[in-house]
Amino acid sequence: MVENEGIRRYVAHAILWIGIAIVAFPVYLAFVASTQDNAAIANGQMSLLPGGHFLETYYKTLFVGSSGTTREPVGTMLLNSLIMALSIALGKIFISILSAYAIVFFRFPFRMTVFWIIFITLMLPVEVRIYPTYKIAADLNLLDSYSGLALPLIASATATLLFRQFFMTVPDELMEASRIDGAGPFRFFKDTLLPLSRTNMAALFVILFIYGWNQYLWPLLITTRDDMQTIQVGIRKMIVTSDALTEWPVVMATSILAMLPPVLVVIVMQKLFVRGLVETEK
Amino acid sequence: MANVVLRNVRKTYPGGVDAIKGVDFEVGDGQFCVLVGPSGCGKSTLLRMVAGLETITSGEIDIGGRVVNQVEPADRDIAMVFQNYALYPHMSVYNNMAYGLRNRGMAKPEIDKRVREAAQILEIGPMLDRKPKQLSGGQRQRVAMGRAIVRQPKVFLFDEPLSNLDAKLRIAMRVEIRKLQRRLSTTSIYVTHDQLEAMTLADILVVMNGGVVEQIGNPLDIYQKPATTFVASFIGAPPMNLTPFKPGEASIAVPGNTGGILGVRPEDLTLTTGTASDGGIRYDLTVEAIERVGAETFVYGSRNGAKEAAAVSSKPGELPPGEIIVRLPGQAAPAIGERIVAVAPRDKLHIFGADGRSRIEL
């Protein structure tokens, strides 16, 4: 056992490094491509080392837009995506924490029925209910608007379930102590439940932000104007399939930019995120 | 300062379970009342009804001359200490104590004064800035008490506050709770399943079983004159020896010459070689087990001739039939298997009716 330890560690590390390489290489390649001259990529003579067009390409991508089209620059798309992802994440947390609060702490008729109805919506993701949802959004004049992008995705059974599970671990005595301390339902929620849910909310925010950021189908349907486009849809539209030349450096730069916000969110909230998932202390 | 009166209080849960089947008692101003009974006897439910955390199906609860059946817990002028303390985990000790006062809109300097006063009484001054999870069990208990004290309520309610502490701390806190209650002279109702805690703390002891009150009174009166066999076996450790007898069977003269149940406390039995005098009781025993606890020794004997453990007793705290406990002072004890004779004088005997519900005075 003891003499094997060294070899085992090397093998384990080697496997991990190979894994990292497999995941990281495409990202690296995208970054390198975004700094090259478009001609070099089109020729198939792309170097594996970063080229000298970094500032130029990123400036063009963010503020000018790809040439030959009338597309909006990526800056606008990033902003649209950010607004959409933030509204979805915050909206989902807001709605689901309130519904979980109602389901766990209040006794009202058909409480369990309500819970099961919420639960069943897990089986109805956007893809399944796309036509009725689109119809409603269109009827409500939500096409090409931020509310149209975010609202239909805000209801969340997953988040409601997560908060419900957490609330059920809160001892009843805490609520009773609050009642004796003169805190009504709203005060108990604000002063006790919210602070206790902080880490859960952070963990959910990370997951939901990425969920919102990665939406493709819904934004594709609901937005027709270029200035309302999200970055996920924008990338696809940049890749020209007709006779024009695709501007690969700009596409790659857009991809890199599209990856950054979720990465930033994860890095910034990592500590809270992990605590939210493993913490049991009450 | 207030008295608490319960008038024919009942609690029926939806689904038809009767948790409290009509309870009447009164706790005078400044008195310390202890509700004691086995698990599931309804004592905690009753306390929670006084607190307002459970609704009252029928009857009245009166705190300080005001019927509070429909009053919210916060407006009943009570404070409660919970078994698991129920401290707010995200608040500092200071804020835990101040929270209830802030919700009442009390002025800041007054809150500060009360919290510091309570902290000083409970000796938790240096911990005011800490979070509950940084405190030991005993310290959390003190904070929970502090939260009750700062309210300066009419009534303190304690729901088994010491059962999460270790044995030594429990005894120390028990004494402190009593001292504190004397000092503040606030009416208190205290729930416990520990009969020792009940005996030592209570001004008035309320023994409950199965949703009804078995006996109410001064702890020593209850100990000396238990009204039912349940009280007899529940109060006192080890429990009273209870043996059924048929009419005419016992060596004692019972008024009316009926059958019944004979009780004798382990400490009232003495070992002898002779017979019982003045109409007392005599047990011929074979020693089965011995427990030495230092200052005293408990001898478990089976009665010669009695069918051994014919059925396991279903009532809590009761011995298997045929087994008798004798408490001997000191450490001297007979050997296991030895035959002994234990006797008790007539004035130490307790006689109950055959159903165990009534006490017959000799």
Side-chain angles (χ1 to χ4, degrees):
Chain A
M1 276 307 282
V2 178
E3 58 266 33
N4 275 344
E5 199 87 317
I7 300 163
R8 280 188 179 201
R9 271 222 337 243
Y10 283 118
V11 172
H13 276 236
I15 292 172
L16 287 176
W17 277 112
I18 293 169
I20 290 171
I22 291 173
V23 173
F25 184 69
V27 179
Y28 174 75
L29 202 65
F31 176 71
V32 170
S34 73
T35 61
Q36 303 272 351
D37 181 27
N38 195 22
I41 301 174
N43 288 342
Q45 289 172 335
M46 198 185 105
S47 149
L48 275 183
L49 293 173
H53 299 270
F54 176 80
L55 287 178
E56 181 193 325
T57 313
Y58 279 82
Y59 177 77
K60 190 178 171 192
T61 310
L62 274 175
F63 302 111
V64 183
S66 54
S67 52
T69 61
T70 52
R71 300 270 177 241
E72 288 289 314
V74 172
T76 317
M77 296 186 203
L78 271 177
L79 186 70
N80 290 342
S81 275
L82 192 71
I83 291 174
M84 178 183 175
L86 278 179
S87 336
I88 291 179
L90 297 177
K92 269 180 189 261
I93 290 176
F94 179 73
I95 287 193
S96 54
I97 202 169
L98 284 181
S99 47
Y101 181 51
I103 286 173
V104 176
F105 288 98
F106 292 85
R107 303 278 165 272
F108 53 89
F110 304 113
R111 190 168 64 100
M112 284 319 279
T113 319
V114 169
F115 170 70
W116 281 108
I117 289 173
I118 293 176
F119 193 81
I120 283 170
T121 62
L122 268 182
M123 286 184 252
L124 300 170
V126 187
E127 290 77 5
V128 177
R129 55 183 164 91
I130 195 100
Y131 173 72
T133 311
Y134 183 84
K135 175 84 170 88
I136 291 170
D139 288 350
L140 291 175
N141 274 332
L142 293 177
L143 300 183
D144 280 322
S145 70
Y146 288 126
S147 20
L149 277 172
L151 270 183
L153 300 176
I154 268 180
S156 173
T158 328
T160 310
L161 287 181
L162 205 112
F163 278 122
R164 173 178 178 264
Q165 290 316 109
F166 169 67
F167 286 166
M168 293 206 315
T169 65
V170 173
D172 285 346
E173 282 88 349
L174 218 50
M175 192 237 304
E176 287 164 358
S178 291
R179 277 181 74 187
I180 291 177
D181 270 342
F186 179 72
R187 274 228 182 107
F188 172 62
F189 181 70
K190 179 177 75 92
D191 291 344
T192 306
L193 228 40
L194 272 188
L196 289 179
S197 316
R198 232 182 76 234
T199 51
N200 282 60
M201 284 184 347
L204 260 180
F205 177 79
V206 172
I207 296 168
L208 296 177
F209 181 84
I210 293 172
Y211 165 84
W213 185 264
N214 287 340
Q215 283 303 315
Y216 178 74
L217 182 61
W218 184 248
L220 185 68
L221 282 176
I222 197 97
T223 60
T224 51
R225 276 187 6 230
D226 279 347
D227 64 337
M228 285 307 295
Q229 230 159 58
T230 63
I231 195 162
Q232 317 296 345
V233 177
I235 294 176
R236 174 64 192 79
K237 288 194 174 163
M238 276 178 198
I239 301 170
V240 192
T241 45
S242 58
D243 48 356
L245 192 62
T246 300
E247 278 185 90
W248 285 111
V250 174
V251 174
M252 291 303 168
T254 311
S255 304
I256 295 285
L257 288 171
M259 265 185 270
L260 282 180
V263 169
L264 278 178
V265 167
V266 170
I267 290 175
V268 170
M269 308 201 64
Q270 194 177 27
K271 245 170 96 180
L272 275 174
F273 176 69
V274 174
R275 260 192 17 217
L277 292 184
V278 300
E279 188 166 81
T280 50
E281 162 263 321
K282 220 122 281 133
Chain B
M1 302 300 111
N3 56 346
V4 178
V5 189
L6 281 75
R7 293 187 201 99
N8 196 21
V9 171
R10 285 169 192 275
K11 171 84 189 175
T12 309
Y13 282 108
V17 181
D18 288 324
I20 307 288
K21 300 166 190 165
V23 167
D24 289 273
F25 66 83
E26 176 170 359
V27 186
D29 185 18
Q31 276 187 319
F32 200 113
C33 166
V34 176
L35 303 179
V36 69
S39 315
C41 71
K43 56 191 190 300
S44 279
T45 309
L46 198 60
L47 187 79
R48 292 163 54 81
M49 285 160 82
V50 176
L53 299 171
E54 299 270 0
T55 54
I56 300 159
T57 308
S58 70
E60 274 181 357
I61 293 179
D62 177 319
I63 298 176
R66 177 173 67 137
V67 174
V68 293
N69 285 28
Q70 301 299 328
V71 180
E72 272 293 300
D75 304 324
R76 291 192 180 192
D77 215 349
I78 46 121
M80 186 153 170
V81 178
F82 293 88
Q83 179 175 0
N84 62 5
Y85 321 133
L87 299 177
Y88 308 115
H90 57 291
M91 294 188 198
S92 66
V93 167
Y94 185 97
N95 285 333
N96 258 290
M97 294 203 272
Y99 184 61
L101 303 181
R102 280 192 199 129
N103 286 344
R104 274 180 176 64
M106 191 180 280
K108 261 202 173 131
E110 174 68 11
I111 295 179
D112 194 65
K113 195 180 126 237
R114 285 199 188 186
V115 171
R116 303 220 175 264
E117 230 172 64
Q120 195 220 332
I121 294 173
L122 294 163
E123 296 162 11
I124 49 174
M127 290 154 217
L128 282 177
D129 294 326
R130 290 197 211 160
K131 293 273 170 71
K133 69 176 165 194
Q134 293 165 292
L135 304 178
S136 68
Q139 290 167 339
R140 286 182 205 184
Q141 181 60 58
R142 282 163 191 271
V143 177
M145 304 257 300
R147 193 165 63 177
I149 292 175
V150 292
R151 300 267 306 274
Q152 302 183 354
K154 282 184 191 156
V155 183
F156 284 136
L157 304 175
F158 299 90
D159 190 2
E160 308 211 16
L162 303 183
S163 52
N164 282 358
L165 301 178
D166 63 61
K168 213 170 167 183
L169 203 52
R170 201 178 309 159
I171 294 172
M173 284 304 289
R174 191 169 80 200
V175 176
E176 265 188 65
I177 287 181
R178 192 68 180 107
K179 276 194 208 152
L180 192 67
Q181 196 267 343
R182 286 250 161 79
R183 174 170 167 180
L184 303 171
S185 58
T186 304
T187 313
S188 302
I189 304 180
Y190 186 107
V191 161
T192 179
H193 60 264
D194 179 344
Q195 57 91 20
L196 197 64
E197 231 169 85
M199 292 289 293
T200 49
L201 284 172
D203 292 322
I204 326 164
L205 188 58
V206 179
V207 186
M208 291 187 66
N209 184 32
V212 293
V213 171
E214 293 269 336
Q215 194 172 2
I216 301 176
N218 174 296
L220 284 180
D221 288 348
I222 290 181
Y223 185 80
Q224 284 157 1
K225 286 184 185 300
T228 65
T229 50
F230 173 82
V231 178
S233 63
F234 193 82
I235 300 293
M240 184 185 281
N241 298 301
L242 294 168
T243 48
F245 62 92
K246 294 195 183 87
E249 183 193 63
S251 57
I252 35 162
V254 176
N257 196 28
T258 55
I261 295 169
L262 173 77
V264 55
R265 294 212 176 266
E267 66 267 30
D268 292 333
L269 286 166
T270 48
L271 295 189
T272 176
T273 47
T275 52
S277 54
D278 64 5
I281 183 86
R282 169 194 161 109
Y283 291 119
D284 295 308
L285 303 171
T286 308
V287 179
E288 298 278 344
I290 295 168
E291 284 178 348
R292 288 190 174 85
V293 291
E296 56 201 18
T297 302
F298 303 114
V299 177
Y300 292 74
S302 61
R303 287 171 72 191
N304 301 332
K307 287 219 176 76
E308 232 182 283
V312 176
S313 167
S314 58
K315 285 184 188 164
E318 222 168 79
L319 284 170
E323 186 143 294
I324 298 288
I325 307 179
V326 183
R327 175 186 171 276
L328 302 174
Q331 292 157 11
I336 288 178
E338 195 177 317
R339 293 187 159 231
I340 55 171
V341 175
V343 296
R346 184 182 167 81
D347 61 336
K348 297 289 188 188
L349 301 183
H350 306 263
I351 311 288
F352 303 96
D355 60 354
R357 305 290 311 160
S358 58
R359 181 184 172 85
I360 299 164
E361 293 299 334
L362 281 175

